[in-house]
């Protein structure tokens, strides 16, 4: 079963932090214990030397200050050391066991139990080190110092080690607590916007095209939010276009169909004579219908045809021959054609480029006012080929400009009804240019005219003759 991000992150944080604390605790405990044992061993030796020196200081002119030595001995006993001082002649000066044998035994038993508690396998025993005290190379005494060996921990030592372990346990608890808090904090920062995005995606699937306002400082999530917003915007536009298309198609079909129907009905009912003029008007309506259906068919053909048939051809010749086909339309509208056409060889799909240019020229003529000018030119720059088609016609409003390359989008509905277009030409042109990895731009001002600029790579052989429609 899928776990929530919050749970997963928190668990991972706890595992990682606990593992690190445990590792640090084990390692430092181990290093510390080894060091501490060494320290304790060295401490026993340095304490022993101190005791021997202090005893030596209490020897004056062949006499021992026994009460001072007893002080030293009692002090040492409290610190776990059993002292016996014997003078040069073998006489006992002071002996801890004689002084308090019970305390000596208790002390050794106490340290033995200290060590066994800490190290159950500790091999400890009573040890005695012997030191000679000499003055001018004359041996004046022998000091034997006994303790629980090879080393022992005093109660303070044990307290120190236990405090250290306690500190590690507290740190571990704190780390788990911080991990949980951090896990929650970070997972909230990740999951909150994701939950918001997923809700939004659900809303979008139900047709509520909303814009997610959440901003995330995690770049991937920020990208996701932007993509979903983009998707929402695109779907909204598409839905708008789809609705508009249904409306347009219904409207476009209904007008010629109802005219046809009423004309034919009138003829069938004998109200009208089926003369040439009336039949011609029926034929015109049928042709409008045919043109509309033809446009829709053309679009589906271009959308499915993703293959490019790339050849090398002279773009200048192609443009000239296309222009020749438009001569009649230009004359009919009284338009002046201004051209600046250069011979440029290009690798591209000739038929498709021709189709793209035809669509632009036919629009330039269609949306020109009678008597205006149409400019057609091409040039080569930086291995890129540019084709420019400009008119002085009606222009396109700023509000329509972003949509004109969308399928079935028509800027000025009333004018378009007269011109008869279905809003398909530019979307076909754009998909052809995209196939060639080129671009198309438009500059337009309402009532001043429009300029379409196609940019194509001169050598499109890199496209490998196929183009995969990845829309
Ligand atoms: P249509 O088949 O309607 O011409 P297009 O896809 O070719 O469809 O163009 C889409 C819309 O863009 C047109 O309906 C028109 O409103 C606008 N348009 C295209 N070219 C021009 C132009 N040269 N001048 C003014 N408007 C244009």
């Amino acid at each position: 079963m899928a776990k929530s991000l919050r749970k997963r992150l928190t668990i991972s944080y706890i595992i990682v932090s606990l593992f690190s604390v445990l590792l640090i605790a084990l390692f430092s405990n181990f290093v510390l214990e080894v060091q501490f044992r060494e320290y304790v061993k060295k401490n026993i030796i340095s304490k022993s030397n101190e005791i021997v020196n202090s005893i030596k200081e209490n020897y004056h002119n062949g006499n021992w200050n026994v009460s001072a030595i007893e002080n030293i001995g009692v002090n040492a006993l409290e610190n776990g050391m059993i002292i016996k001082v014997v003078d040069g002649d073998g006489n006992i000066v002071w002996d801890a066991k004689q002084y308090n044998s019970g305390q000596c035994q208790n002390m050794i038993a106490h340290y033995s139990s200290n060590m066994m508690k800490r190290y159950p396998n500790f091999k400890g025993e009573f040890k005695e080190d012997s030191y000679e005290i000499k003055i001018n190379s004359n041996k004046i005494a022998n000091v034997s110092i006994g303790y629980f060996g090879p080393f022992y921990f005093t109660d303070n030592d044990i307290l120190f080690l236990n405090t250290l372990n306690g500190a590690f346990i507290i740190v571990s608890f704190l780390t788990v607590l911080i991990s949980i808090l951090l896990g929650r904090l970070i997972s909230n920062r990740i999951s909150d916007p994701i939950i918001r995005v997923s809700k939004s995606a659900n809303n979008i699937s139900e047709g509520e095209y909303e814009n997610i306002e959440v901003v995330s400082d995690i770049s991937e999530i920020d990208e996701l939010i932007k993509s979903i917003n983009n998707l929402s915007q695109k779907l909204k536009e598409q839905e708008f276009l789809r609705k508009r298309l249904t409306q347009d198609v219904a409207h476009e079909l209904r007008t010629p169909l109802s005219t046809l129907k009423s004309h034919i009905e009138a003829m069938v009912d004998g109200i009208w004579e089926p003369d040439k003029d009336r039949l011609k008007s029926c034929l015109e309506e049928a042709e409008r219908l045919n043109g509309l259906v033809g446009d829709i068919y053309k679009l589906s053909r271009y959308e499915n045809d993703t293959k490019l048939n790339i050849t090398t051809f002279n773009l200048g010749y192609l443009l000239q021959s296309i222009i020749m086909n438009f001569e009649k339309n230009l004359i009919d509208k009284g338009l002046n054609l201004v051209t600046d056409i250069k011979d440029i060889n290009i690798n591209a799909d000739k038929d498709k480029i021709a189709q793209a240019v035809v669509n632009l020229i036919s629009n330039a003529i269609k949306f020109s006012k009678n008597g205006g000018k149409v400019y057609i030119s091409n040039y080569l720059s930086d291995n890129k080929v540019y084709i420019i088609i400009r008119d002085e016609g009606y222009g396109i409003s700023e509000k329509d400009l972003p949509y004109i390359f969308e399928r079935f989008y028509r800027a000025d509905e009333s004018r378009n009804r007269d011109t008869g277009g279905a809003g398909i030409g530019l979307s076909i042109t754009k998909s052809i240019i995209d196939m060639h990895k080129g671009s198309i731009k438009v500059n337009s001002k309402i009532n001043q005219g429009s300029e379409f600029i196609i940019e194509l790579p001169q050598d499109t052989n890199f496209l490998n003759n196929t183009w995969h429609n990845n829309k």
Side-chain angles (χ1 to χ4, degrees):
M1 210 181 78
K3 275 201 189 85
S4 75
L5 185 72
R6 185 171 300 174
K7 239 187 216 161
R8 253 175 211 281
L9 260 184
T10 312
I11 291 173
S12 327
Y13 266 63
I14 293 176
I15 291 176
V16 170
S17 51
L18 264 189
F19 190 71
S20 336
V21 169
L22 213 77
L23 215 70
I24 294 171
L26 282 179
F27 183 71
S28 45
N29 231 339
F30 173 74
V31 172
L32 213 100
E33 283 245 7
V34 170
Q35 293 287 327
F36 194 67
R37 272 187 241 168
E38 284 310 305
Y39 159 79
V40 168
K41 280 181 198 164
K42 279 188 191 143
N43 205 24
I44 291 172
I45 297 170
S46 79
K47 258 199 238 163
S48 302
N49 285 329
E50 240 174 69
I51 289 168
V52 172
N53 284 336
S54 312
I55 291 173
K56 190 177 173 184
E57 277 164 17
N58 285 297
Y59 180 77
H60 300 290
N61 307 325
N63 291 318
W64 293 98
N65 181 348
V66 179
S67 69
I69 291 175
E70 186 173 298
N71 265 345
I72 296 169
V74 171
N75 214 338
L77 192 59
E78 273 158 14
N79 284 315
M81 293 176 140
I82 298 168
I83 291 173
K84 184 178 173 185
V85 187
V86 179
D87 70 10
D89 302 329
N91 301 319
I92 293 176
V93 179
W94 193 81
D95 183 357
K97 281 183 192 153
Q98 273 178 11
Y99 171 76
N100 192 340
S101 141
Q103 194 184 348
C104 290
Q105 275 175 15
N106 284 348
M107 195 260 312
I108 294 296
H110 178 68
Y111 288 129
S112 155
S113 111
N114 263 8
M115 297 311 283
M116 295 309 279
K117 263 190 224 152
R118 189 146 192 101
Y119 310 110
N121 296 323
F122 190 74
K123 288 195 176 52
E125 57 187 357
F126 183 70
K127 259 189 84 173
E128 236 174 355
D129 294 339
S130 186
Y131 299 84
E132 278 187 351
I133 302 180
K134 284 183 178 170
I135 292 181
N136 300 332
S137 74
N138 284 335
K139 180 179 158 187
I140 54 157
N142 192 60
V143 180
S144 80
I145 301 177
Y147 54 90
F148 186 78
F151 64 94
Y152 63 93
F153 289 158
T154 63
D155 292 353
N156 279 343
D157 295 340
I158 300 260
L159 192 71
F160 168 74
L161 289 173
N162 286 345
T163 310
L164 204 77
N165 283 337
F168 277 129
I169 290 170
I170 292 172
V171 167
S172 305
F173 268 119
L174 281 179
T175 313
V176 170
L177 206 75
I178 291 171
S179 307
I180 293 173
L181 290 179
L182 218 67
R184 279 196 157 257
L185 194 83
I186 294 187
S187 59
N188 278 354
R189 279 174 68 184
I190 299 174
S191 66
D192 282 355
I194 291 182
I195 291 169
R196 181 75 191 78
V197 168
S198 114
K199 268 193 197 142
S200 212
N202 279 336
N203 288 347
I204 290 171
S205 75
E206 280 162 18
E208 277 175 48
Y209 304 111
E210 56 187 19
N211 202 44
I212 308 170
E213 302 293 348
V214 183
V215 186
S216 171
D217 51 4
I218 299 165
S219 65
E220 287 84 352
I221 292 181
D222 206 42
E223 276 303 306
L224 179 70
I225 294 174
K226 278 188 195 145
S227 309
I228 292 283
N229 281 345
N230 203 8
L231 179 75
S232 168
Q233 183 62 26
K234 281 264 175 274
L235 284 173
K236 195 173 168 184
E237 283 169 17
Q238 286 300 324
E239 173 147 324
F240 169 72
L241 291 172
R242 188 173 52 78
K243 282 187 181 151
R244 196 165 153 164
L245 166 75
T246 327
Q247 236 176 28
D248 283 358
V249 170
H251 189 275
E252 294 296 322
L253 291 177
R254 205 176 50 197
T255 319
L257 267 178
S258 59
T259 317
L260 254 180
K261 188 173 165 261
S262 61
H263 284 193
I264 293 169
E265 262 172 7
M267 286 186 257
V268 170
D269 293 345
I271 301 166
W272 275 2
E273 276 297 309
D275 60 24
K276 197 177 169 192
D277 281 348
R278 286 182 175 131
L279 285 174
K280 213 174 135 195
S281 133
C282 286
L283 182 67
E284 272 168 16
E285 293 304 328
E287 270 167 359
R288 272 184 72 183
L289 276 174
N290 196 34
L292 188 69
V293 175
D295 273 352
I296 297 172
Y297 170 71
K298 219 193 270 175
L299 177 70
S300 79
R301 207 169 51 106
Y302 272 98
E303 286 196 329
N304 294 327
D305 179 10
T306 56
K307 263 204 156 127
L308 287 179
N309 177 20
I310 292 180
T311 54
T312 307
F313 61 92
N314 186 322
L315 181 68
Y317 290 180
L318 179 73
L319 292 178
Q320 298 285 13
S321 75
I322 293 172
I323 289 167
M324 262 162 44
N325 292 334
F326 277 104
E327 259 166 18
K328 184 175 178 304
N329 308 57
L330 288 161
I331 292 166
D332 284 352
K333 260 192 127 169
L335 294 170
N336 271 327
L337 180 70
V338 183
T339 60
D340 177 10
I341 297 193
K342 300 183 179 70
D343 285 349
I344 300 167
N345 279 335
I346 178 172
N347 281 322
D349 185 318
K350 191 174 171 184
D351 290 344
K352 288 200 171 77
I353 296 293
Q355 179 66 55
V357 172
V358 163
N359 291 348
L360 294 185
I361 299 179
S362 105
N363 277 351
I365 297 172
K366 216 161 49 171
F367 299 108
S368 274
K369 299 165 193 168
N370 285 354
K373 277 190 185 137
V374 172
Y375 301 81
I376 302 175
S377 59
N378 68 335
Y379 66 91
L380 176 71
S381 163
D382 269 346
N383 292 328
K384 294 212 171 94
V385 178
Y386 295 84
I387 307 168
I388 298 158
I389 291 149
R390 183 155 69 87
D391 64 67
E392 296 173 336
Y394 300 106
I396 305 161
S397 74
E398 254 177 61
K399 129 181 122 49
D400 290 314
L401 262 185
Y403 303 107
I404 55 163
F405 293 104
E406 302 277 359
R407 270 168 270 155
F408 304 113
Y409 195 88
R410 305 184 319 176
D412 184 333
E413 287 184 62
S414 52
R415 188 179 314 119
N416 271 296
R417 201 143 292 136
D418 305 335
T419 51
I424 287 169
L426 285 184
S427 70
I428 292 178
T429 300
K430 182 162 185 343
S431 70
I432 291 173
I433 303 305
D434 285 347
M435 283 184 208
H436 286 81
K437 297 272 179 265
S439 67
I440 178 162
K441 285 197 198 95
V442 55
N443 303 312
S444 188
K445 273 229 163 79
I446 204 91
N447 283 329
Q448 288 185 20
S450 313
E451 178 184 52
F452 287 82
I453 304 163
I454 294 179
E455 183 196 290
L456 286 169
Q458 188 181 22
D459 185 356
T460 36
N461 268 329
F462 66 89
L463 295 173
N464 209 10
N465 290 358
T466 42
W467 181 81
H468 297 287
N469 191 344
N470 52 6
K471 273 187 212 166

